[in-house]
């Protein structure tokens, strides 16, 4: 009789342990699931590209300014030319990618009249910046694709998202010189 009672107690303890272990496992799985969801949401938020606003009062004709775009792994180069017009471009040397597959970045030249690529050494005067040519140039930002008023430029997130993919393809060699492709089609 005593053995039956002990067996019943053991069975109840085993069932209680199993139940507790199941609850613990379900709890751990729920916490892991919630953490994965939170990480996914955080990652999507942190990878989201947003509009970029550039205050024109920060852009001078003394030298180009560089505005970091970490999500595109580049900068926006902005300069006001001597005739009062503005030039905007991504800080990616098209010549370096097209010719050598290297990642060239620009900086102001010594006398602040233009830019010089730190990889291929090509120089671009500020007035020529912002146009896509067969020569080495910073990758242009199309003025027709951005918003502008007398105080600022706004580069829409949609435009930046498209350019992010183009810049990644350019850097990886997936696309070639756009002018060579266009001239072959004409």
């Amino acid at each position: 009789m005593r053995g039956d009672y002990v067996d019943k107690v053991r069975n109840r303890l085993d069932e209680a342990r199993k139940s507790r272990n199941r609850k613990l496992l379900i709890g751990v799985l729920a916490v892991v699931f919630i953490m994965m969801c939170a990480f996914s949401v955080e990652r999507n938020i942190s990878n989201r590209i947003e509009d970029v606003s550039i205050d024109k009062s920060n852009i001078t004709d003394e030298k180009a300014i560089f505005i970091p775009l970490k999500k595109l792994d580049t900068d926006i180069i902005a300069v006001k030319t001597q005739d009062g017009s503005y030039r905007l471009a991504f800080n990616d040397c098209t010549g370096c990618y097209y010719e050598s597959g290297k990642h060239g970045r620009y900086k102001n030249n010594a006398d602040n009249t233009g830019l010089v690529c730190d990889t291929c050494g090509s120089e671009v005067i500020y007035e020529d910046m912002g146009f896509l040519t067969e020569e080495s140039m910073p990758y242009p930002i199309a003025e027709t694709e951005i918003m502008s008023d007398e105080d600022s430029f706004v580069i829409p997130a949609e435009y930046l998202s498209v350019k992010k993919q183009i810049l990644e393809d350019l850097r990886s060699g997936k696309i070639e010189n756009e002018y060579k492709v266009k001239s072959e089609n004409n």
Side-chain angles (χ1 to χ4, degrees):
M1 194 79 136
R2 196 171 182 131
D4 288 339
Y5 178 74
V6 171
D7 287 341
K8 285 181 184 179
V9 170
R10 282 187 186 149
N11 286 340
R12 285 186 187 167
L13 287 173
D14 285 343
E15 287 177 26
R17 246 183 264 132
K18 288 178 185 176
S19 176
R20 186 177 35 136
N21 288 344
R22 270 187 250 132
K23 289 177 183 176
L24 182 62
L25 179 63
I26 290 171
V28 168
L29 290 175
V31 169
V32 168
F33 178 75
I34 290 169
M35 288 175 62
M36 288 175 56
C37 289
F39 176 74
S40 177
V41 167
E42 180 181 325
R43 195 172 115 204
N44 287 338
I45 289 171
S46 67
N47 286 334
R48 186 178 331 147
I49 296 174
E50 297 177 0
D51 293 352
V52 172
S53 180
I54 303 170
D55 188 349
K56 288 182 180 179
S57 67
N58 293 331
I59 306 171
T60 68
D61 55 0
E62 296 171 13
K63 65 180 183 177
I65 63 169
F66 297 81
I67 302 150
L69 289 177
K70 291 182 182 181
K71 293 177 183 166
L72 272 68
D73 189 28
T74 192
D75 306 304
I76 293 175
I77 304 172
V79 68
K80 184 176 181 181
T81 62
Q82 290 186 1
D83 69 0
S85 62
Y86 293 91
R87 300 280 192 261
L88 301 173
F90 294 106
N91 193 3
D92 289 87
C93 179
T94 57
C96 285
Y97 293 127
Y98 297 149
E99 301 302 322
S100 66
K102 294 182 180 175
H103 191 170
R105 298 287 181 139
Y106 285 91
K107 60 184 178 187
N108 287 301
N109 64 11
D111 59 359
N112 292 323
T113 58
L115 304 167
V116 61
C117 176
D118 65 1
T119 301
C120 70
S122 84
E123 290 202 40
V124 178
I125 61 171
Y126 294 141
E127 284 77 9
D128 289 344
M129 192 181 90
F131 302 100
L132 189 58
T133 68
E134 290 186 42
E135 300 168 10
S136 295
M137 286 282 180
Y139 195 91
I141 295 175
E143 288 185 47
T144 57
E145 300 291 327
I146 64 174
M147 297 172 276
S148 175
D149 61 27
E150 62 186 51
D151 297 325
S152 64
F153 293 104
V154 176
I155 305 172
E158 297 81 22
Y159 177 80
L160 292 171
S161 294
V162 169
K163 291 303 176 183
K164 178 181 181 177
Q165 186 60 53
I166 290 172
L167 292 171
E168 286 173 357
D169 289 347
L170 182 66
R171 293 172 192 150
S172 70
K174 288 182 182 176
I175 61 174
E176 293 185 23
N177 186 316
E178 294 179 23
Y179 269 89
K180 291 179 183 174
V181 172
K182 287 179 185 176
S183 58
E184 289 172 2
N185 294 333
N186 292 335

